[in-house]
């Protein structure tokens, strides 16, 4: 649950300008509440607490994030290939970890899970409003297919590649590189933890 220390009156004005619905607080301690995209921001005297699903857009508005660069790590996992599958992602900027997560995605091959992880990571980076992404993953196949160096013969993977390219076009600048597994270990851990917890 993100906590943003800020001038809550200025934050309220910022959200109102962005068209976010704002209401009075529910208790004596709450200054106001704002709801946007499945998330709720609750203001107290000197901080705003964001909760719910898909908090990224609301957090970005409150932090005043306008663009910036983020490093994105992604990894997919499949037990059985195809089998139960999951995704993991980590977004890191100059201040540290911006967001991370892992979730199951049903039954998929390892390559399908890798693409799903990349899609999820790029969607989160888009929600946060970054305008530059440096993406890193340990799947050479996915990286080279997205960059256009290798063909994509599988129809499902071809469809996923199109989705990834559409998401990348949301950013002013992007890079995608293949890295060794040890550099991608946090995203890998999050994907495997999601499978373990399922």
């Amino acid at each position: 649950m993100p906590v943003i220390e800020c001038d809550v009156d200025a934050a309220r004005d910022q959200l109102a300008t962005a068209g976010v619905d704002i209401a009075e607080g529910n208790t004596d301690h709450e200054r106001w509440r704002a709801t946007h995209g499945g998330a709720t921001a609750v203001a107290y005297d000197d901080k705003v607490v964001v909760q719910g699903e898909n908090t990224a857009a609301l957090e970005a508005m409150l932090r005043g994030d306008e663009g910036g660069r983020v490093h994105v790590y992604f990894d997919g996992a499949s037990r059985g290939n195809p089998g139960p599958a999951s995704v993991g992602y980590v977004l890191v900027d100059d201040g540290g970890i911006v967001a991370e997560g892992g979730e199951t995605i049903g039954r998929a091959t390892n390559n399908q899970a890798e693409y799903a992880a990349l899609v999820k990571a790029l969607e989160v980076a888009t929600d946060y409003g970054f305008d530059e992404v440096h993406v890193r993953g340990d799947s050479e196949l996915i990286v080279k297919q997205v960059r256009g160096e290798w063909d994509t013969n599988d129809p499902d993977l071809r469809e996923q590649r199109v989705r990834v390219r559409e998401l990348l076009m949301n950013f002013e600048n992007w890079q995608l590189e293949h890295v060794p597994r040890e550099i991608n270990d946090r995203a890998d851990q999050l994907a495997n933890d999601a499978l373990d917890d399922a």
Side-chain angles (χ1 to χ4, degrees), residues 166-198:
E166 288 171 350
L167 286 165
L168 287 170
M169 293 304 111
N170 290 332
F171 302 99
E172 290 179 19
N173 293 298
W174 61 270
Q175 294 177 5
L176 177 60
E177 67 177 301
H178 174 250
V179 295
R181 182 169 296 279
E182 57 270 15
I183 291 177
N184 203 37
D185 62 342
R186 181 63 182 153
D188 176 71
Q189 179 185 353
L190 290 164
N192 280 294
D193 286 351
L195 281 176
D196 291 342
D197 294 342

Side-chain angles (χ1 to χ4, degrees), residues 70-172:
V70 69
H71 297 278
V72 176
Y73 298 85
F74 73 94
D75 198 20
S78 173
R79 295 188 180 156
N81 201 28
S86 63
V87 300
Y89 62 89
V90 182
L91 276 65
V92 181
D93 70 4
D94 294 338
I97 294 177
V98 175
E100 64 178 16
E103 59 190 55
T104 58
I105 58 167
R107 185 175 173 82
T109 66
N110 191 63
N111 290 334
Q112 290 167 336
E114 292 280 0
Y115 264 112
L118 179 53
V119 166
K120 178 66 177 180
L122 292 173
E123 288 173 344
V124 172
T126 300
D127 287 345
Y128 271 95
F130 289 103
D131 55 23
E132 183 175 350
V133 290
H134 291 197
V135 185
R136 297 177 174 110
D138 58 37
S139 170
E140 185 177 19
L141 176 83
I142 302 312
V143 169
K144 290 198 172 184
Q145 284 182 347
V146 171
R147 290 194 314 210
E149 297 168 26
W150 289 357
D151 288 334
T152 311
N153 297 323
D154 180 282
D156 182 63
L157 298 186
R158 198 167 34 244
E159 185 177 314
Q160 291 281 61
R161 184 182 75 176
V162 168
R163 176 69 180 134
V164 167
R165 296 291 297 196
E166 288 171 350
L167 286 165
L168 287 170
M169 293 304 111
N170 290 332
F171 302 99
E172 290 179 19

